Amino acid sequence: MPATFRPVYRLRFSLAMPDPDMPQPRYHTTIYAETNQGDQIGFVHHVTGDITSTRGMQYERRPENSMDFYDKELLGHTPAAGYPTSFDYLLSKLPTPPQQKEFNIATMRTEPFKTLDPLTFYETREARRPLIKCTEWVSDCAIPALQAAGLLVIHTEALVGAV
């Protein structure tokens, strides 16, 4: 791949403590872009935090050179020019997963709520909205936004004419 593009991957990391309210197995899901071709050094773009806190989750970019992950999937490529600023600009403006769980004094456990104001919990057999965390943010929000902005080119054959 020419140096004018960088490979972009989906990395999944094993969780130390799984959420009992989420289907298993679950992984911390991130977007990773190499900054130097082939050296496996780059940046991870992801949301961190907790869906039980009032802040919910927040976007973060951090350097990543550890290859201690569960799996790595090539998503496509991004233009080297402007990276990582272009990713930060776009991804920091996307909505992040909000608070979705609270401590229920009636059940003495932290659980998903129906509404926060007023705080209303689901009944025992009531259908619940799916929880949204890092995996859903990456797949349903970040990747489509990067593609729409032209910052993630999925088909490598499209790069041939662009270089």
Side-chain angles (χ1 to χ4, degrees), residues 37-105:
Q37 191 171 355
D39 67 3
Q40 297 186 346
I41 295 174
F43 290 106
V44 161
H45 301 268
H46 61 151
V47 287
T48 62
D50 192 335
I51 63 168
T52 62
S53 79
T54 56
R55 291 182 59 206
M57 300 181 88
Q58 298 82 44
Y59 167 73
E60 175 185 272
R61 171 178 51 100
R62 68 173 167 77
E64 179 63 49
N65 62 1
S66 157
M67 291 297 114
D68 185 24
F69 49 80
Y70 175 76
D71 69 9
K72 178 180 180 179
E73 171 193 358
L74 180 66
L75 295 173
H77 294 81
T78 191
Y83 177 82
T85 307
S86 56
F87 269 47
D88 284 342
Y89 180 78
L90 178 68
L91 297 176
S92 67
K93 297 196 178 324
L94 297 178
T96 56
Q99 179 182 6
Q100 300 164 67
K101 295 171 88 173
E102 183 63 73
F103 185 75
N104 185 345
I105 196 146

Side-chain angles (χ1 to χ4, degrees), residues 102-159:
E102 183 63 73
F103 185 75
N104 185 345
I105 196 146
T107 61
M108 297 303 285
R109 66 182 291 263
T110 300
E111 57 189 61
F113 55 76
K114 204 179 334 186
T115 62
L116 186 56
D117 190 20
L119 183 58
T120 310
F121 292 97
Y122 292 98
E123 298 298 322
T124 305
R125 290 190 170 83
E126 186 175 5
R128 298 172 180 215
R129 277 188 315 268
L131 296 174
I132 299 168
K133 290 183 154 189
C134 60
T135 299
E136 294 75 20
W137 183 83
V138 165
S139 297
D140 303 337
C141 193
I143 291 173
L146 290 168
Q147 286 179 277
L151 296 175
L152 178 59
V153 180
I154 298 296
H155 302 290
T156 50
E157 56 270 8
L159 296 176

